[in-house]
Amino acid sequence: MKKVFLFNPPFGLYRRDNRCQNRVEDQTVNVIFPPMELLYCAAILEKEGRRVWVRDYPASHSRLNDLLADMKQIQPDFAIFTTTVATLESDLSVARYIKENQPHTIVAAKGEPLHRLDDDVIRNTPNLDIILRGEVESYISDFVSGKCWSELPGVTFRQDENVVRTAVSDEFLDLDSLPFPARHLIHNELYRSPETRNPLTTIITSLGCPHKCIYCSVPALTGVNVRFRNPESVVDELEECVHRFQIREFLFHADTFTLKKTWVIDLCQRILQRNLDIRWGCNSRVDTIDEERLQWMKKAGCWVVGFGVESGNNDHLERMKKRATAEQARDAIQLCRKNGVRSHTFFVFGFPWDTSQSIRELIQFAHELDPDFFDFNIAFPIPGTELDDLVTKQNLASRDRLKNGGYATGAVSTESLAAEELERWRRKALWSMYLRPHYIFRTLRNAGSPHIAMNYVRAAMNRVRNLLFSARKREFNSWDHTISN
């Protein structure tokens, strides 16, 4: 019986699934999510009788020695890990350690950067046998079964002295055909709500996005045609989480959860019919939310909605190909406030056209919106995106900084601002929002219980420490609490 070992390498606490591969501690909400892609692969393989192990070493604060000890004990036929842009170099070193100790094991890597960098990586990583691209769940079974690699869709490997790169399949996964993720293979207590400290998990409800924002990898990864799960299947999975795993807090993961109004309302009605008593959050575009949707979502347990607002400048939004407006962002936040659902907004700057003045205006717009939670991200050129092509053409990217990339670290310059200046502007933006007395009072008031309020205080202290330690000492001497300079 084939033995398969799926894992996240012990190098940095990042969100490794899909498009949001940011460092956990760089975000306002420090939450760790389970490795859903690995859990889906595990469920598929278990269903076919394979022996499977799943480890999330960053989440358990484990080290390389723990990984090697597990490898020695399991003696797997296949070792498959997920990587990110920021951790790529460290993650790939795992292949060497595995081969030194388990030379018979086939070592495979998957992850967002490998969709574009696969050729270079496979040529320069001799201990890595194969790269898995595309929707790995669609062919993981054939891969483990021993099917000829050249017949698999979306893989990259060496053959003699050549690199073979097969095309990704034009057919995307039918989400309803997948078994539920193999949550029994992980320690679910590692994943908790930062507010309540209750167990939390992710439910994938749809994949794909019809929009083509220049900084986003979704069109290349999951396509522009949105695939929704049957709402009944989603609720069945929720019920399994509640009764089998005692999990009642969820993030509904979708490239845009609220895209299809009838689907959202149908799902909410089914949640209510099952009396699940759950608490959940989701994401939305600012132009795919309305009062009826929000009212049903609130009734079904939704407490927070995340919005990719990005900018308050309509010309900048058009350049990003966002296909949304600042006015729609204002309406969305007001609707959430009216209906008792909290909002989490994401802003982004650091595009080639950004200046000190445009960033200052963005911060002022964030103050105007006054969301419940917020993040300011620095634009990062994910390999394969239009932004990546743009900054490469304009010679704005720093190779050294790209290796340490993330949404809090300036990996590129703009036409008028250095990467270091973008990092300073990000800190100014966050400080200016956090230190508003009415914001602090409202956040504690809305906590709803002393327990949650204390968790907010602890989170704030961690956030302050993170921001202080990331700033240079000379910046503190001249830092101004205002954004007028």
Side-chain angles (χ1 to χ4, degrees), residues 17 45 64 88 110 142 148 150 165 176 243 272 299 301 309 314 345 353 356 363 369 374 377 443 454 462:
D17 280 353
L45 295 171
L64 180 61
L88 182 60
K110 59 180 284 298
D142 288 337
C148 179
S150 60
R165 189 179 196 268
D176 288 325
H243 296 307
L272 291 167
K299 289 177 186 176
V309 172
N314 286 330
T345 57
W353 54 80
S356 292
I363 298 171
L369 290 185
F374 46 83
N377 296 324
T443 301
M454 280 306 302
N462 287 335

Side-chain angles (χ1 to χ4, degrees), residues 117-142:
L117 306 177
D118 55 310
D119 187 283
D120 182 63
V121 168
I122 202 71
R123 289 181 188 278
N124 294 292
T125 315
N127 292 298
L128 182 66
D129 295 302
I130 186 169
I131 290 171
L132 310 179
R133 306 176 352 261
E135 295 187 327
V136 179
E137 298 91 337
S138 66
Y139 63 85
I140 187 71
S141 177
D142 288 337

Side-chain angles (χ1 to χ4, degrees), residues 205-206 226 228-232 234-235 238 252-273 278 280-285 287-302 304-305 341:
T205 59
S206 66
V226 183
F228 293 92
R229 283 178 64 184
N230 186 320
E232 189 72 7
V234 175
V235 178
L238 288 169
F252 286 157
H253 175 87
D255 295 316
T256 298
F257 177 80
T258 58
L259 186 66
K260 190 175 180 181
K261 181 174 180 177
T262 55
W263 182 91
V264 172
I265 294 174
D266 188 5
L267 175 63
C268 292
Q269 290 173 337
R270 291 171 190 267
I271 291 172
L272 291 167
Q273 289 166 5
I278 60 174
W280 53 274
C282 66
N283 72 343
S284 174
R285 285 177 56 89
D287 60 349
T288 60
I289 199 73
D290 58 29
E291 191 144 28
E292 186 179 11
R293 258 177 284 213
L294 270 173
Q295 288 173 347
W296 278 108
M297 289 161 59
K298 171 78 171 176
K299 289 177 186 176
C302 178
V304 65
V305 179
V341 175

